[in-house]
Amino acid sequence: MGGERPGPRRGGKMAARLSGGENRLVSLPLSRIRVIMKSSPEVSSINQDALFLTAKATELFVQYLASYSYKHGRGKEKNALTYSDLSHTAEECETFQFLADILPKKILASKYLKMLEKEKRDGELGKCDEEDDDEDDDEAVDEAVGS
Amino acid sequence: MAERPEDLNLPNAVITRIIKEALPDGVNISKEARSAISRAASVFVLYATSCANNFAMKGKRKTLNAGDVLSAMEEMEFQRFIAPLKESLEVYRREQKGKKEARKDKDKKADSEEQDKSREDDNDDDDERMEDEEQNDEEEVDN
């Protein structure tokens, strides 16, 4: 090593970037980003700057999604980012709504069954909020069964 | 052109690192959350690509360019990314220019001894070099 390249990890971010240290300009592999982009049928070719920008934008996106979900999560855990924080974000925040299908809210099977029973009973009695249910958990609340 | 499912995924280690950098120290990420973010990132790439491609088509171009991607960000309501992206692009372009010039110099010194040394150095830049070559091929085909 050495030659014409700056030494690896010697002071300064620039040197680290050029040699691929932790402060590199983009961490996501461009080759993989390209594979994903090319899987889109209408796309013929991608200029190198566009490839770089897409990779960089994706990193910014990951950071934004993670920090937003952590901040706005209704999760009980303050020291963890959970799946439910993410699906909540996809549901509530317009910018992230394109993720709603791949980040569906989760519900315990037992709760789902209870909800089905409730719906059935409501249908028979024509009533709504009579049941005493304890479905206050995040997972169950937002699901509209049958919608 | 069948991609295997794993090809459309991004490397877990990198995704995890990016997430960690965005969160306060000591915050854990569940495996499920990490996997979900990774999928979301792939979807983001697809969405951004599709959007950028629309701009390219509007401009009657077949090659996606930087402007198309930036317009896509605007369209997708990720305006907040635009300024940092432009900054990074500047740095990237300078780096690429620097590499090209370094390579030109290496080629000039095409005397036998020099060439062997250069090859050793080149291997370290494998990843990024590959990208350049692939991209060059793209651009040629398009022209």
Side-chain angles (χ1 to χ4, degrees):
Chain A
M1 258 192 274
E4 285 111 9
R5 288 193 311 139
R9 295 195 173 103
R10 248 186 257 154
K13 278 185 183 175
M14 215 40 191
R17 267 195 212 134
L18 292 174
S19 65
E22 272 184 358
N23 285 329
R24 70 190 327 180
L25 199 49
V26 64
S27 316
L28 289 171
L30 297 189
S31 51
R32 194 75 66 86
I33 296 281
R34 192 163 168 272
V35 168
I36 301 173
M37 291 176 86
K38 293 282 275 182
S39 74
S40 219
E42 332 90 46
V43 170
S44 355
S45 37
I46 305 156
N47 131 336
Q48 194 166 352
D49 286 348
L51 176 60
F52 168 77
L53 281 182
T54 305
K56 190 69 191 170
T58 306
E59 288 188 10
L60 295 176
F61 170 78
V62 168
Q63 289 175 336
Y64 187 27
L65 177 61
S67 58
Y68 186 98
S69 301
Y70 179 67
K71 262 186 237 160
H72 296 84
R74 293 194 303 174
K76 307 136 198 172
E77 302 178 63
K78 303 259 157 94
N79 259 345
L81 177 67
T82 61
Y83 176 87
S84 99
D85 295 332
L86 296 166
S87 70
H88 180 241
T89 294
E91 184 133 329
E92 304 289 317
C93 179
E94 217 187 280
T95 315
F96 292 108
Q97 223 133 64
F98 70 96
L99 297 172
D101 286 345
I102 61 150
L103 298 178
K105 290 248 169 170
K106 292 199 164 177
I107 183 171
L108 292 176
S110 53
K111 295 225 154 75
Y112 183 70
L113 291 172
K114 269 194 198 164
M115 284 169 80
L116 283 182
E117 278 175 52
K118 179 178 187 252
E119 285 221 337
K120 192 177 173 206
R121 267 176 291 172
D122 289 348
E124 285 165 359
L125 301 173
K127 277 189 224 175
C128 274
D129 296 312
E130 287 287 324
E131 310 305 324
D132 97 270
D133 52 77
D134 54 344
E135 291 172 358
D136 282 329
D137 288 333
D138 289 346
E139 284 130 42
V141 164
D142 298 321
E143 278 296 344
V145 177
S147 62
Chain B
M1 186 175 78
E3 282 93 7
R4 291 173 305 154
E6 43 282 22
D7 292 336
L8 298 184
N9 292 331
L10 294 160
N12 279 339
V14 180
I15 293 286
T16 304
R17 193 191 337 139
I18 299 172
I19 297 172
K20 288 213 154 120
E21 282 169 13
L23 297 175
D25 281 340
V27 176
N28 294 319
I29 310 120
S30 72
K31 199 167 157 202
E32 220 186 355
R34 197 242 293 129
S35 158
I37 293 180
S38 187
R39 277 180 285 129
S42 297
V43 170
F44 174 84
V45 173
L46 289 170
Y47 183 17
T49 301
S50 171
C51 210
N53 197 52
N54 288 339
F55 284 102
M57 292 197 297
K58 266 190 220 166
K60 305 210 171 138
R61 281 173 286 105
K62 285 198 187 152
T63 307
L64 289 193
N65 65 25
D68 298 328
V69 178
L70 292 171
S71 302
M73 292 302 116
E74 177 95 46
E75 176 93 355
M76 291 160 72
E77 292 181 31
F78 288 111
Q79 291 90 344
R80 53 172 54 214
F81 293 172
I82 293 179
L85 283 177
K86 282 184 174 168
E87 246 184 72
S88 301
L89 183 60
E90 285 309 296
V91 179
Y92 179 70
R93 281 174 168 165
R94 281 203 300 272
E95 275 181 17
Q96 291 305 104
K97 197 172 168 199
K99 276 186 196 170
K100 274 196 181 138
E101 273 155 29
R103 243 179 283 158
K104 265 190 220 156
D105 291 343
K106 282 181 187 172
D107 289 343
K108 277 184 198 157
K109 294 180 196 163
D111 305 326
S112 29
E113 309 156 14
E114 232 76 47
Q115 232 169 8
D116 286 349
K117 275 194 195 154
S118 300
R119 269 194 216 118
E120 279 183 276
D121 287 338
D122 283 353
N123 287 336
D124 293 334
D125 276 340
D126 231 34
D127 230 48
E128 295 164 281
R129 186 64 54 78
M130 247 170 58
E131 284 322 298
D132 289 355
E133 283 165 16
E134 278 178 34
Q135 286 312 300
N136 287 338
D137 286 346
E138 294 274 40
E139 282 165 358
E140 280 164 15
V141 167
D142 211 58
N143 289 336

